[in-house]
Amino acid sequence: MAELVYRPVIGFARTLFKTWDLKIDCQGSENIPRSGGAVLVSNHISYLDFIFSGLAALPQKRLVRFMAKESVFRHRISGPLMRGMKHIPVDRDQGEAAYAHALASLRSGEIVGVFPEATISPSFTLKSFKSGAARLAQEAGVPLVPMAVWGTQRLWTKGHPRNFKRSHTPITIRVGEAIEASKDKYAGALTRQVRERVQELLEAAQRAYPVRPKDANDTWWMPAHLGGTAPTPEEVRAAEAR
């Protein structure tokens, strides 16, 4: 039943992307396994990241079940769609249920998508990774597939208005080789390994990105270390601590 919902949503998303005239550059999809479970691990810079991360799996004819905050499932429009596509609700006060749900999905051969930063990074740099993705992969006996998205923050991100105009916005996606989630490895060490690989992919996506800010008013989507005016990670942490 899930695919009766998921595939039409994919078709609708592709139509929107054509309407917005997005320029999507996706490389590395062949690293996503054609069968069996896997944990897809991505950076998180936009409310739309799960859509583009899921697109990366389509060439392998795979559908990704994303872990997302529970409030999205209570929304009158997104809720039925999220449930119909078998995405996984995460209640941060009762994380055990989400973990068990994701583990069952992996063991049944599904790909589960995880954003281990937990929330959007306003600095557009990698935050620290939580170890849940690594622990899930280890317990289910499936690989971790690292990936990175770039440019999605220009469409819709925290603290900025949505931009769904026909703007020719490039979106760059890079998927890396699968990482074995050995049970002999400490989950923290595996998490650091995955984060390092996502960082490498993010930097590759940024280097490949075909445009730069048009003027001084368009630098907000670039991280500070690349010359942009996005807040630094230190500024973000200070603001969150207040």
Side-chain angles (χ1 to χ4, degrees), residues 100-237:
H101 187 164
L103 186 59
S105 295
L106 290 168
R107 286 174 169 166
S108 68
E110 299 277 11
I111 294 180
V112 172
V114 178
F115 298 105
E117 296 168 277
T119 59
I120 289 173
S121 171
S123 68
F124 309 132
T125 62
L126 285 190
K127 300 169 68 176
S128 62
F129 277 21
K130 298 185 181 301
S131 63
R135 291 187 289 110
L136 276 170
Q138 287 176 313
E139 193 167 349
V142 301
L144 292 144
V145 180
M147 70 174 298
V149 295
W150 189 247
T152 57
Q153 75 273 31
R154 298 179 66 198
L155 298 177
W156 189 16
T157 192
K158 185 183 295 185
H160 294 274
R162 289 172 289 187
N163 176 22
F164 294 161
K165 300 175 183 177
R166 186 178 174 83
S167 56
H168 319 293
T169 303
I171 304 295
T172 304
I173 306 167
R174 293 293 182 266
V175 185
E177 293 181 1
I179 298 171
E180 180 185 358
S182 171
K183 293 182 180 179
D184 297 332
K185 199 164 190 176
Y186 176 54
L190 183 58
T191 298
R192 287 191 293 274
Q193 180 185 358
V194 173
R195 187 184 183 280
E196 288 172 1
R197 187 62 183 124
V198 173
Q199 178 66 40
E200 292 171 356
L201 293 165
L202 177 57
E203 291 173 3
Q206 291 168 337
R207 287 193 299 270
Y209 201 66
V211 301
R212 292 293 180 267
K214 297 188 294 290
D215 51 42
N217 295 321
D218 190 42
T219 58
W220 65 267
W221 56 272
M222 287 286 281
H225 74 277
L226 293 180
T229 54
T232 66
E234 293 75 20
E235 289 170 338
V236 172
R237 285 193 291 269

Side-chain angles (χ1 to χ4, degrees), residues 26-40 56-57 59-60 62 111 143-147 173-179 197 201:
C26 179
Q27 295 182 18
S29 290
E30 68 276 6
N31 292 314
I32 296 173
R34 280 192 172 272
S35 62
V39 180
L40 190 65
Q60 296 293 82
R62 301 303 304 273
I111 294 180
L144 292 144
V145 180
M147 70 174 298
I173 306 167
R174 293 293 182 266
V175 185
E177 293 181 1
I179 298 171
R197 187 62 183 124
L201 293 165

Side-chain angles (χ1 to χ4, degrees), residues 55-134:
L55 281 179
L58 293 183
Q60 296 293 82
K61 304 186 185 305
R62 301 303 304 273
L63 300 176
V64 183
R65 317 301 177 180
F66 285 94
M67 300 185 76
K69 61 183 181 181
E70 190 267 343
S71 60
V72 178
F73 291 77
R74 288 188 272 107
H75 189 275
R76 63 185 182 87
I77 296 175
S78 64
L81 293 175
M82 295 293 283
R83 288 189 294 272
M85 290 185 283
K86 287 189 178 179
H87 294 313
I88 301 168
V90 179
D91 183 339
R92 291 176 184 169
D93 295 327
Q94 298 179 342
E96 299 85 358
Y99 186 93
H101 187 164
L103 186 59
S105 295
L106 290 168
R107 286 174 169 166
S108 68
E110 299 277 11
I111 294 180
V112 172
V114 178
F115 298 105
E117 296 168 277
T119 59
I120 289 173
S121 171
S123 68
F124 309 132
T125 62
L126 285 190
K127 300 169 68 176
S128 62
F129 277 21
K130 298 185 181 301
S131 63

